[in-house]
Amino acid sequence: MQEFEKLGAFYLGKTFDHDTQDVTDETILYDAKDLTTHAVCVGMTGSGKTGLCLSLLEEAAIDGIPTLAIDPKGDLGNLLLTFPNLAPKDFEPWIDPGEATRKGNTVPEHAKKVSALWKNGLASWGQDGKRIKKFRDAVDLTIFTPGSNAGVPISILKSFNAPSEAVREDGDLFRDRVKASVSGLLALLGIDADPLQSREHILLSNIVQAAWTEGKDLDLASLIREIQAPPFDRIGVMDLDSFYPSKDRFALAMTLNNLLASPGFASWMEGQPLDIQQLLWTPEGKPRIAILSIAHLSESERMFVVTLILNEMLSWVRSQAGTTSLRALLYMDEVFGYFPPTKNPPSKTPMLTLLKQARAFGLGVVLATQNPVDLDYKGLSNTGTWFLGRLQTERDKMRVLDGLEGASAAAGAGFDRSKMESILSGLKSRVFLLNNVHENEPVLFHTRWVLSYLRGPLTRQHIQKLMKGKVKEAAATQAAGAPKAVKAKAKDKAAASRPVLPPEIEEKFIPRTGALRDGEEMVYRPQLMADTRLHFTKAGTDLDHWYEETLLAPIEETGASWEASTKVDATNIELEDEPEERGSFGPLPGAALKKRSYSTWEKKLKSYLYRERTKSLWKCKALKEN
């Protein structure tokens, strides 16, 4: 067994002599439990940052430690490009034809050279195909793609699940969770909302808090309903309609409904739930590197997804027993924009909370960036390990030194700023300064050769190819575990969520009569109810008759069909304010969502009644009576 194959010791490379600029024979074995105090890796493009971070994840996997990896750029899928045989044919499908051409090779020729390069590179660092196999055997590798079916889909928008009881009982943590979740949702809607000033933020926060306090999960459909009819009538000292009029609430509900109804967002509702335990371990208990690829999403969508993931991770952490060992990793490949020094995006609060609290529960947070000026170094004072590579500008170097000095002071460790500055000024590619507060002094080291083939960012087509079998397996598992009623709804697009109506439209529900039989389901269909009162009178006669009737007319794409209406006995119908929980809903034509449609339909009703409702008058010529 190689000297670096030790449980709990991560083989990252060998020390590097700053004076001779050569690699030494001294192996760098990083103590896994030191990651419970988190790590940050900083380096410009070409510094070797990606290789170092992938090495860290490979080592954790070999030791049976799972990782949830957030991948904004598409690089982390390279972890699946690991070939124990190191044969050219294994590399060939992943060769970039453009790169092969630039180097004067055909794709097979280039694959042969890359195969030899990887084999020799691994050997130079005491590794081989057997170690690659050990890595692949130790861990499950899955790429999840929220909002896309390229990889294994994961349901992001299906629900705002109530956090765990431990989170709900922690007042500060609970409020932070509500604020971050609402901020993320509003960012997705394109609403820049201040938690203290924005009435959208305040309204949604009160709705979410009220539901979560009772342990009640919210999905987007129920959130839309509660925007229109919140479970409270006051916000602060003001009544609800003064603070946020119903007309304006309806506009917000429609904005959210448009998001939910968008065909492009159908995939956000598909896939397995966002459950951290299921992401970190397979059903059989095998540790997993779960790569959440978000490169295909817009900036607002990425922020929303990252915020939800961090919040779910925070809830999972609080449900675990305390430990000093490394239980799992949370890795983010590019933290630029998610943890800035001045602004407060939705992702910042849960990230900061994780850095402060996750260590007690065995979760190590590893953050990487090539833009050090965009990091909140005060927050990173909670970080015990810094991997510092080649930096692009003098400003970057100064910011890194400031952060490093703060982290050392927080840990009660010494810090030689001038020496650090001298070392950072002359770093080569793949050479990093390792500053670990658990060690006596910083160490300069050269990273080892990675087990994974670093071919660069993966496209959707690459992900589809890698995940083809996993997607089918996940779909089959989900279908097998789904209740029959859920399957039936999935087939019937009419079985939708409750529609959103303007606040001026009164909405009632006709109660079901009789019990549902096996295989039956209840679907509410939209109809327009009209209470009418007709007055029949004729000059020269004693006719003066009032007539009342109630009509139910189906609402079709062309509008309310009074010709197809039926009379009902209103005295025998006790209308309900809410539908049955088991009920689903048929499609509601768009015209029913517009207030002016009802005025038009009322006019058509009057015309219909005038034409169709008559009163017969009898006349007797013999008696000359009417």
Side-chain angles (χ1 to χ4, degrees):
M1 185 177 70
Q2 294 283 355
E3 61 174 341
F4 51 73
E5 295 291 13
K6 299 176 181 177
L7 187 64
F10 293 175
Y11 174 37
L12 300 183
K14 294 182 179 180
T15 58
F16 187 81
D17 191 304
H18 180 61
D19 296 326
T20 64
Q21 293 290 292
D22 283 330
V23 179
T24 73
D25 293 330
E26 185 181 354
T27 302
I28 291 293
L29 296 180
Y30 179 82
D31 194 337
K33 71 175 184 296
D34 290 349
L35 269 185
T36 58
T37 54
H38 317 309
V40 60
C41 182
V42 180
M44 62 181 285
T45 300
S47 64
K49 172 172 56 66
T50 299
L52 170 59
C53 292
L54 262 62
S55 295
L56 197 65
L57 301 189
E58 290 171 351
E59 294 295 327
I62 289 173
D63 275 9
I65 298 169
T67 297
L68 178 59
I70 304 173
D71 185 12
K73 298 188 303 178
D75 283 330
L76 299 186
N78 290 174
L79 285 162
L80 283 87
L81 306 184
T82 38
F83 314 118
N85 295 328
L86 294 168
K89 63 180 179 62
D90 295 329
F91 289 87
E92 188 172 329
W94 308 101
I95 296 296
D96 180 358
E99 182 183 358
T101 301
R102 286 192 297 271
K103 296 190 176 182
N105 301 319
T106 64
V107 169
E109 289 171 345
H110 196 64
K112 187 175 181 180
K113 291 183 178 180
V114 169
S115 172
L117 175 67
W118 235 257
K119 187 178 296 184
N120 295 331
L122 288 169
S124 67
W125 290 88
Q127 304 177 107
D128 54 22
K130 292 181 180 179
R131 192 159 203 256
I132 295 177
K133 186 177 186 305
K134 183 176 183 179
F135 163 65
R136 292 305 300 255
D137 291 344
V139 68
D140 175 85
L141 289 156
T142 303
I143 302 176
F144 295 91
T145 51
S148 170
N149 290 317
V152 176
I154 185 168
S155 175
I156 294 291
L157 285 180
K158 194 169 184 179
S159 65
F160 276 0
N161 289 339
S164 64
E165 186 176 353
V167 173
R168 299 200 303 271
E169 290 178 351
D170 187 322
D172 292 338
L173 191 60
F174 182 53
R175 284 188 291 272
D176 286 345
R177 174 71 181 270
V178 171
K179 182 175 75 172
S181 297
V182 171
S183 296
L185 178 59
L186 290 173
L188 184 62
L189 297 175
I191 300 174
D192 186 11
D194 185 325
L196 297 179
Q197 301 294 329
S198 164
R199 62 178 185 172
E200 293 91 351
H201 201 293
I202 294 171
L203 173 67
L204 287 175
S205 295
N206 276 273
I207 291 172
V208 171
Q209 182 169 312
W212 285 358
T213 297
E214 298 177 359
K216 174 185 172 184
D217 295 340
L218 284 172
D219 57 23
L220 291 188
S222 60
L223 188 57
I224 289 170
R225 296 298 314 171
E226 297 217 356
I227 289 173
Q228 290 186 277
F232 44 80
D233 54 14
R234 302 189 72 81
I235 293 183
V237 297
M238 299 180 65
D239 67 273
L240 177 63
D241 282 330
S242 296
F243 177 80
Y244 208 142
S246 60
K247 182 178 180 181
D248 296 343
R249 295 202 309 273
F250 177 69
L252 176 61
M254 286 303 297
T255 302
L256 191 56
N257 185 69
N258 292 342
L259 175 71
L260 185 61
S262 170
F265 267 80
S267 59
W268 289 70
M269 308 291 289
E270 299 172 355
Q272 70 179 66
L274 182 57
D275 184 293
I276 300 301
Q277 188 74 18
Q278 292 182 30
L279 292 177
L280 292 176
W281 283 274
T282 67
E284 297 75 29
K286 187 175 185 179
R288 173 186 281 151
I289 296 181
I291 302 168
L292 271 76
S293 178
I294 58 174
H296 57 285
L297 302 177
S298 67
E299 288 187 16
S300 60
E301 290 170 342
R302 292 183 194 182
M303 179 60 72
F304 178 65
V305 170
V306 169
T307 302
L308 280 185
I309 291 169
L310 295 179
N311 278 322
E312 289 298 324
M313 180 61 80
L314 192 55
S315 291
W316 177 80
V317 161
R318 294 302 299 266
S319 69
Q320 305 300 307
T323 180
T324 57
S325 300
L326 183 63
R327 175 180 278 136
L329 286 178
L330 171 65
Y331 172 64
M332 188 159 184
D333 188 40
E334 180 52 75
V335 75
F336 174 78
Y338 298 95
F339 197 52
T342 53
K343 295 181 179 180
N344 285 293
S347 57
K348 186 173 180 178
T349 296
M351 180 77 80
L352 184 59
T353 306
L354 281 169
L355 289 172
K356 289 180 178 179
Q357 300 184 6
R359 67 184 64 185
F361 303 94
L363 176 70
V365 179
V366 182
L367 306 176
T369 187
Q370 56 179 303
N371 298 285
V373 295
D374 192 60
L375 286 178
D376 186 333
Y377 282 104
K378 291 181 181 178
L380 289 177
S381 63
N382 295 283
T383 304
T385 299
W386 289 62
F387 296 103
L388 304 174
R390 190 168 59 184
L391 301 173
Q392 192 162 5
T393 67
E394 189 69 18
R395 182 187 176 203
D396 289 344
K397 185 173 65 175
M398 291 301 105
R399 288 300 303 272
V400 165
L401 287 169
D402 290 343
L404 193 57
E405 187 172 16
S408 298
F415 181 75
D416 188 335
R417 188 181 179 100
S418 60
K419 182 180 179 181
M420 287 290 183
E421 184 175 355
S422 173
I423 294 174
L424 289 177
S425 299
L427 292 179
K428 298 167 58 177
S429 178
R430 296 184 60 198
V431 175
F432 285 80
L433 179 66
L434 167 57
N435 188 78
N436 185 350
V437 297
H438 304 284
E439 302 293 343
N440 295 327
E441 60 181 1
V443 176
L444 199 61
F445 76 102
H446 192 292
T447 59
R448 68 163 174 81
W449 198 277
V450 290
L451 304 177
S452 312
Y453 170 43
L454 303 182
R455 60 96 49 214
L458 299 184
T459 65
R460 289 194 191 191
Q461 291 72 28
H462 291 141
I463 294 174
Q464 284 177 329
K465 186 175 181 179
L466 286 167
M467 290 291 104
K468 186 176 181 180
K470 293 264 187 179
V471 170
K472 290 182 179 179
E473 180 183 332
T477 300
Q478 188 179 8
K484 291 183 179 179
V486 173
K487 291 181 186 177
K489 288 183 181 181
K491 293 178 182 178
D492 182 7
K493 291 186 178 180
S497 57
R498 182 176 172 182
V500 179
L501 289 174
E504 302 87 355
I505 307 304
E506 186 177 9
E507 184 181 25
K508 294 291 184 179
F509 300 88
I510 297 176
R512 170 173 53 84
T513 57
L516 292 175
R517 291 174 292 188
D518 289 343
E520 289 184 334
E521 59 178 316
M522 185 171 178
V523 180
Y524 288 96
R525 304 288 180 183
Q527 291 190 303
L528 198 61
M529 177 175 278
D531 290 322
T532 68
R533 192 163 184 252
L534 309 178
H535 188 197
F536 294 89
T537 182
K538 183 175 176 63
T541 70
D542 60 354
L543 178 63
D544 188 2
H545 177 70
W546 288 91
Y547 175 73
E548 296 181 359
E549 69 178 13
T550 299
L551 300 177
L552 277 179
I555 303 177
E556 301 170 348
E557 289 296 333
T558 55
S561 177
W562 297 115
E563 289 75 12
S565 63
T566 57
K567 297 180 184 180
V568 295
D569 184 357
T571 60
N572 290 329
I573 300 178
E574 293 185 9
L575 299 176
E576 298 177 341
D577 293 328
E578 294 295 326
E580 291 187 19
E581 289 187 5
R582 293 185 299 171
S584 55
F585 296 83
L588 183 67
L593 301 175
K594 301 173 183 177
K595 180 183 176 183
R596 63 177 179 271
S597 298
Y598 294 85
S599 298
T600 301
W601 295 339
E602 183 178 355
K603 291 177 182 178
K604 290 184 177 181
L605 171 62
K606 292 177 180 179
S607 177
Y608 166 77
L609 292 173
Y610 188 80
R611 293 193 317 268
E612 300 294 330
R613 298 297 184 261
T614 60
K615 185 71 175 175
S616 298
L617 292 178
W618 297 94
K619 184 177 181 180
C620 180
K621 290 182 179 181
L623 297 176
K624 297 181 180 181
E625 292 286 341
N626 290 328

